[in-house]
Short mmCIF file of all heavy atoms in Angstrom, two decimals:
data_model
loop_
_atom_site.label_atom_id
_atom_site.label_comp_id
_atom_site.label_asym_id
_atom_site.label_seq_id
_atom_site.Cartn_x
_atom_site.Cartn_y
_atom_site.Cartn_z
N ASP A 155 4.10 15.40 -8.88
CA ASP A 155 3.69 16.06 -10.11
C ASP A 155 2.72 17.20 -9.78
O ASP A 155 1.61 16.95 -9.29
CB ASP A 155 3.03 15.05 -11.04
CG ASP A 155 2.55 15.65 -12.35
OD1 ASP A 155 2.82 16.83 -12.62
OD2 ASP A 155 1.85 14.93 -13.10
N ALA A 156 3.11 18.43 -10.05
CA ALA A 156 2.26 19.58 -9.73
C ALA A 156 0.95 19.56 -10.50
O ALA A 156 -0.04 20.17 -10.07
CB ALA A 156 3.01 20.87 -10.00
N GLU A 157 0.91 18.87 -11.64
CA GLU A 157 -0.29 18.84 -12.48
C GLU A 157 -1.17 17.62 -12.20
O GLU A 157 -2.12 17.37 -12.95
CB GLU A 157 0.11 18.85 -13.96
CG GLU A 157 0.97 20.04 -14.35
CD GLU A 157 0.29 21.37 -14.08
OE1 GLU A 157 -0.93 21.47 -14.36
OE2 GLU A 157 0.96 22.28 -13.58
N ALA A 158 -0.89 16.88 -11.16
CA ALA A 158 -1.65 15.65 -10.88
C ALA A 158 -3.10 15.96 -10.55
O ALA A 158 -3.44 17.04 -10.02
CB ALA A 158 -1.01 14.92 -9.71
N VAL A 159 -3.98 15.01 -10.85
CA VAL A 159 -5.38 15.14 -10.45
C VAL A 159 -5.45 15.13 -8.93
O VAL A 159 -4.53 14.67 -8.25
CB VAL A 159 -6.24 13.98 -11.02
CG1 VAL A 159 -6.23 14.02 -12.54
CG2 VAL A 159 -5.76 12.62 -10.50
N ASP A 160 -6.55 15.65 -8.38
CA ASP A 160 -6.66 15.68 -6.92
C ASP A 160 -6.82 14.26 -6.38
O ASP A 160 -7.21 13.33 -7.09
CB ASP A 160 -7.79 16.59 -6.45
CG ASP A 160 -9.16 16.07 -6.79
OD1 ASP A 160 -9.62 15.11 -6.13
OD2 ASP A 160 -9.79 16.61 -7.71
N LEU A 161 -6.52 14.11 -5.10
CA LEU A 161 -6.44 12.78 -4.49
C LEU A 161 -7.76 12.04 -4.55
O LEU A 161 -7.80 10.85 -4.86
CB LEU A 161 -5.96 12.91 -3.04
CG LEU A 161 -5.88 11.61 -2.25
CD1 LEU A 161 -4.90 10.63 -2.88
CD2 LEU A 161 -5.50 11.89 -0.79
N ARG A 162 -8.86 12.71 -4.25
CA ARG A 162 -10.15 12.01 -4.25
C ARG A 162 -10.48 11.47 -5.64
O ARG A 162 -10.98 10.35 -5.79
CB ARG A 162 -11.27 12.95 -3.77
CG ARG A 162 -11.43 12.97 -2.27
CD ARG A 162 -12.64 13.82 -1.87
NE ARG A 162 -12.98 13.60 -0.49
CZ ARG A 162 -13.89 12.74 -0.05
NH1 ARG A 162 -14.53 11.98 -0.91
NH2 ARG A 162 -14.14 12.61 1.23
N ALA A 163 -10.22 12.26 -6.68
CA ALA A 163 -10.47 11.78 -8.04
C ALA A 163 -9.58 10.58 -8.35
O ALA A 163 -10.01 9.62 -8.99
CB ALA A 163 -10.24 12.89 -9.04
N TYR A 164 -8.35 10.63 -7.87
CA TYR A 164 -7.41 9.53 -8.12
C TYR A 164 -7.87 8.25 -7.43
O TYR A 164 -7.78 7.17 -8.02
CB TYR A 164 -6.03 9.95 -7.61
CG TYR A 164 -4.96 8.89 -7.81
CD1 TYR A 164 -4.32 8.76 -9.05
CD2 TYR A 164 -4.58 8.05 -6.77
CE1 TYR A 164 -3.34 7.80 -9.23
CE2 TYR A 164 -3.59 7.09 -6.96
CZ TYR A 164 -2.97 6.97 -8.19
OH TYR A 164 -2.00 6.02 -8.38
N LEU A 165 -8.37 8.36 -6.21
CA LEU A 165 -8.76 7.15 -5.46
C LEU A 165 -9.97 6.46 -6.07
O LEU A 165 -10.15 5.25 -5.91
CB LEU A 165 -9.05 7.52 -4.00
CG LEU A 165 -7.82 7.90 -3.18
CD1 LEU A 165 -8.24 8.38 -1.79
CD2 LEU A 165 -6.83 6.76 -3.06
N ALA A 166 -10.82 7.19 -6.76
CA ALA A 166 -11.94 6.61 -7.51
C ALA A 166 -12.75 5.61 -6.67
O ALA A 166 -13.10 5.91 -5.53
CB ALA A 166 -11.41 5.97 -8.80
N GLY A 167 -12.97 4.41 -7.20
CA GLY A 167 -13.80 3.43 -6.50
C GLY A 167 -13.16 2.83 -5.26
O GLY A 167 -13.85 2.14 -4.50
N ALA A 168 -11.88 3.10 -5.03
CA ALA A 168 -11.22 2.59 -3.81
C ALA A 168 -11.79 3.25 -2.56
O ALA A 168 -11.68 2.70 -1.46
CB ALA A 168 -9.72 2.84 -3.88
N ILE A 169 -12.42 4.41 -2.70
CA ILE A 169 -12.97 5.11 -1.54
C ILE A 169 -14.00 4.26 -0.80
O ILE A 169 -14.03 4.23 0.44
CB ILE A 169 -13.56 6.47 -1.97
CG1 ILE A 169 -12.41 7.45 -2.25
CG2 ILE A 169 -14.50 7.03 -0.91
CD1 ILE A 169 -12.86 8.79 -2.76
N GLU A 170 -14.83 3.53 -1.54
CA GLU A 170 -15.83 2.68 -0.90
C GLU A 170 -15.16 1.67 0.04
O GLU A 170 -15.64 1.43 1.17
CB GLU A 170 -16.64 1.93 -1.96
CG GLU A 170 -17.59 0.89 -1.38
CD GLU A 170 -18.24 0.00 -2.43
OE1 GLU A 170 -18.08 0.28 -3.64
OE2 GLU A 170 -18.90 -0.99 -2.04
N TYR A 171 -14.07 1.11 -0.37
CA TYR A 171 -13.41 0.06 0.41
C TYR A 171 -12.55 0.65 1.53
O TYR A 171 -12.41 0.03 2.59
CB TYR A 171 -12.60 -0.85 -0.51
CG TYR A 171 -13.53 -1.68 -1.38
CD1 TYR A 171 -14.00 -1.17 -2.59
CD2 TYR A 171 -13.98 -2.93 -0.98
CE1 TYR A 171 -14.88 -1.90 -3.38
CE2 TYR A 171 -14.86 -3.67 -1.75
CZ TYR A 171 -15.30 -3.14 -2.95
OH TYR A 171 -16.19 -3.87 -3.72
N LEU A 172 -11.99 1.83 1.29
CA LEU A 172 -11.32 2.52 2.39
C LEU A 172 -12.32 2.82 3.50
O LEU A 172 -12.03 2.66 4.69
CB LEU A 172 -10.67 3.81 1.90
CG LEU A 172 -9.42 3.66 1.04
CD1 LEU A 172 -9.02 5.00 0.44
CD2 LEU A 172 -8.27 3.09 1.86
N ASP A 173 -13.52 3.24 3.12
CA ASP A 173 -14.54 3.55 4.13
C ASP A 173 -14.97 2.31 4.90
O ASP A 173 -15.27 2.38 6.10
CB ASP A 173 -15.75 4.21 3.48
CG ASP A 173 -15.47 5.64 3.01
OD1 ASP A 173 -14.47 6.23 3.46
OD2 ASP A 173 -16.27 6.16 2.21
N LEU A 174 -15.00 1.16 4.22
CA LEU A 174 -15.36 -0.07 4.92
C LEU A 174 -14.34 -0.41 6.01
O LEU A 174 -14.68 -1.02 7.02
CB LEU A 174 -15.44 -1.24 3.94
CG LEU A 174 -16.69 -1.30 3.07
CD1 LEU A 174 -16.54 -2.38 2.00
CD2 LEU A 174 -17.94 -1.56 3.91
N VAL A 175 -13.10 0.00 5.82
CA VAL A 175 -12.07 -0.19 6.84
C VAL A 175 -12.17 0.90 7.90
O VAL A 175 -12.25 0.62 9.10
CB VAL A 175 -10.68 -0.19 6.19
CG1 VAL A 175 -9.59 -0.22 7.26
CG2 VAL A 175 -10.52 -1.40 5.26
N LEU A 176 -12.19 2.14 7.47
CA LEU A 176 -12.09 3.25 8.41
C LEU A 176 -13.35 3.41 9.27
O LEU A 176 -13.26 3.85 10.42
CB LEU A 176 -11.82 4.55 7.64
CG LEU A 176 -10.51 4.55 6.83
CD1 LEU A 176 -10.42 5.81 5.98
CD2 LEU A 176 -9.30 4.42 7.74
N ASP A 177 -14.51 3.02 8.74
CA ASP A 177 -15.75 3.14 9.51
C ASP A 177 -15.91 2.04 10.56
O ASP A 177 -16.89 2.05 11.32
CB ASP A 177 -16.96 3.13 8.58
CG ASP A 177 -17.12 4.44 7.83
OD1 ASP A 177 -16.51 5.45 8.25
OD2 ASP A 177 -17.84 4.46 6.80
N GLN A 178 -14.97 1.11 10.65
CA GLN A 178 -15.05 0.10 11.71
C GLN A 178 -14.78 0.71 13.07
O GLN A 178 -15.10 0.10 14.10
CB GLN A 178 -14.03 -1.00 11.42
CG GLN A 178 -14.36 -1.85 10.20
CD GLN A 178 -13.27 -2.84 9.84
OE1 GLN A 178 -12.49 -3.27 10.69
NE2 GLN A 178 -13.19 -3.20 8.58
N ALA A 179 -14.22 1.90 13.11
CA ALA A 179 -13.92 2.57 14.38
C ALA A 179 -14.99 3.60 14.68
O ALA A 179 -15.48 4.30 13.79
CB ALA A 179 -12.57 3.26 14.31
N ALA A 180 -15.34 3.73 15.95
CA ALA A 180 -16.27 4.76 16.37
C ALA A 180 -15.57 6.10 16.58
O ALA A 180 -16.18 7.16 16.42
CB ALA A 180 -16.97 4.34 17.67
N GLU A 181 -14.29 6.06 16.95
CA GLU A 181 -13.55 7.28 17.27
C GLU A 181 -12.37 7.51 16.33
O GLU A 181 -11.42 8.22 16.67
CB GLU A 181 -13.05 7.21 18.72
CG GLU A 181 -14.19 7.04 19.73
CD GLU A 181 -13.67 6.80 21.14
OE1 GLU A 181 -12.47 7.00 21.39
OE2 GLU A 181 -14.48 6.37 21.99
N GLY A 182 -12.41 6.92 15.15
CA GLY A 182 -11.32 7.06 14.20
C GLY A 182 -10.28 5.97 14.37
O GLY A 182 -10.16 5.35 15.42
N MET A 183 -9.53 5.74 13.30
CA MET A 183 -8.47 4.74 13.31
C MET A 183 -7.15 5.36 13.73
O MET A 183 -6.93 6.57 13.60
CB MET A 183 -8.32 4.11 11.93
CG MET A 183 -9.42 3.12 11.57
SD MET A 183 -9.24 1.58 12.52
CE MET A 183 -10.53 0.59 11.74
N ARG A 184 -6.24 4.52 14.20
CA ARG A 184 -4.89 4.97 14.52
C ARG A 184 -3.90 3.87 14.15
O ARG A 184 -4.23 2.68 14.12
CB ARG A 184 -4.74 5.28 16.01
CG ARG A 184 -4.86 4.07 16.93
CD ARG A 184 -4.74 4.48 18.39
NE ARG A 184 -4.92 3.35 19.30
CZ ARG A 184 -3.93 2.60 19.77
NH1 ARG A 184 -2.69 2.86 19.39
NH2 ARG A 184 -4.17 1.60 20.60
N ILE A 185 -2.68 4.30 13.84
CA ILE A 185 -1.58 3.37 13.65
C ILE A 185 -1.04 2.98 15.02
O ILE A 185 -0.73 3.84 15.84
CB ILE A 185 -0.46 4.00 12.80
CG1 ILE A 185 -0.95 4.24 11.36
CG2 ILE A 185 0.80 3.15 12.83
CD1 ILE A 185 -1.13 3.00 10.54
N VAL A 186 -0.96 1.69 15.28
CA VAL A 186 -0.39 1.21 16.53
C VAL A 186 1.13 1.43 16.47
O VAL A 186 1.75 1.22 15.43
CB VAL A 186 -0.72 -0.27 16.75
CG1 VAL A 186 -0.14 -0.77 18.07
CG2 VAL A 186 -2.23 -0.48 16.72
N LYS A 187 1.72 1.86 17.56
CA LYS A 187 3.15 2.15 17.57
C LYS A 187 3.96 0.93 17.16
O LYS A 187 3.68 -0.20 17.57
CB LYS A 187 3.58 2.62 18.97
CG LYS A 187 3.08 4.01 19.33
CD LYS A 187 3.61 4.44 20.68
CE LYS A 187 3.14 5.85 21.02
NZ LYS A 187 3.63 6.31 22.34
N GLY A 188 4.99 1.20 16.39
CA GLY A 188 5.85 0.13 15.89
C GLY A 188 5.56 -0.16 14.43
O GLY A 188 4.48 0.14 13.92
N ALA A 189 6.53 -0.73 13.76
CA ALA A 189 6.39 -1.07 12.34
C ALA A 189 7.21 -2.32 12.03
O ALA A 189 8.17 -2.63 12.74
CB ALA A 189 6.88 0.09 11.46
N HIS A 190 6.80 -3.00 11.01
CA HIS A 190 7.59 -4.11 10.46
C HIS A 190 8.31 -3.60 9.23
O HIS A 190 7.68 -3.08 8.30
CB HIS A 190 6.69 -5.28 10.09
CG HIS A 190 6.02 -5.92 11.25
ND1 HIS A 190 4.86 -6.65 11.13
CD2 HIS A 190 6.33 -5.94 12.57
CE1 HIS A 190 4.49 -7.09 12.34
NE2 HIS A 190 5.36 -6.66 13.20
N ARG A 191 9.62 -3.74 9.22
CA ARG A 191 10.42 -3.32 8.07
C ARG A 191 11.34 -4.46 7.67
O ARG A 191 12.09 -4.98 8.50
CB ARG A 191 11.26 -2.08 8.41
CG ARG A 191 10.46 -0.86 8.81
CD ARG A 191 11.36 0.34 9.06
NE ARG A 191 10.60 1.51 9.48
CZ ARG A 191 10.41 1.86 10.74
NH1 ARG A 191 10.94 1.13 11.71
NH2 ARG A 191 9.71 2.94 11.05
N TYR A 192 11.25 -4.85 6.42
CA TYR A 192 12.15 -5.88 5.93
C TYR A 192 12.32 -5.74 4.42
O TYR A 192 11.53 -5.04 3.76
CB TYR A 192 11.68 -7.29 6.31
CG TYR A 192 10.25 -7.63 5.96
CD1 TYR A 192 9.94 -8.35 4.80
CD2 TYR A 192 9.20 -7.29 6.80
CE1 TYR A 192 8.64 -8.71 4.50
CE2 TYR A 192 7.89 -7.64 6.51
CZ TYR A 192 7.62 -8.34 5.35
OH TYR A 192 6.32 -8.69 5.05
N SER A 193 13.36 -6.34 3.91
CA SER A 193 13.62 -6.29 2.47
C SER A 193 13.46 -7.68 1.88
O SER A 193 13.62 -8.69 2.57
CB SER A 193 15.02 -5.74 2.18
OG SER A 193 16.01 -6.58 2.72
N VAL A 194 13.14 -7.71 0.61
CA VAL A 194 12.86 -8.95 -0.10
C VAL A 194 13.68 -8.95 -1.39
O VAL A 194 13.70 -7.94 -2.11
CB VAL A 194 11.37 -9.11 -0.42
CG1 VAL A 194 11.08 -10.43 -1.11
CG2 VAL A 194 10.53 -8.96 0.85
#
Side-chain angles (χ1 to χ4, degrees):
D155 179 7
E157 303 301 318
V159 298
D160 69 75
L161 178 61
R162 273 185 167 266
Y164 180 82
L165 290 174
I169 285 177
E170 174 189 351
Y171 291 86
L172 287 171
D173 289 344
L174 284 171
V175 173
L176 299 174
D177 286 343
Q178 292 174 26
E181 302 173 13
M183 285 287 187
R184 67 181 177 92
I185 293 289
V186 181
K187 289 183 179 180
H190 294 157
R191 299 183 182 95
Y192 52 98
S193 62
V194 182

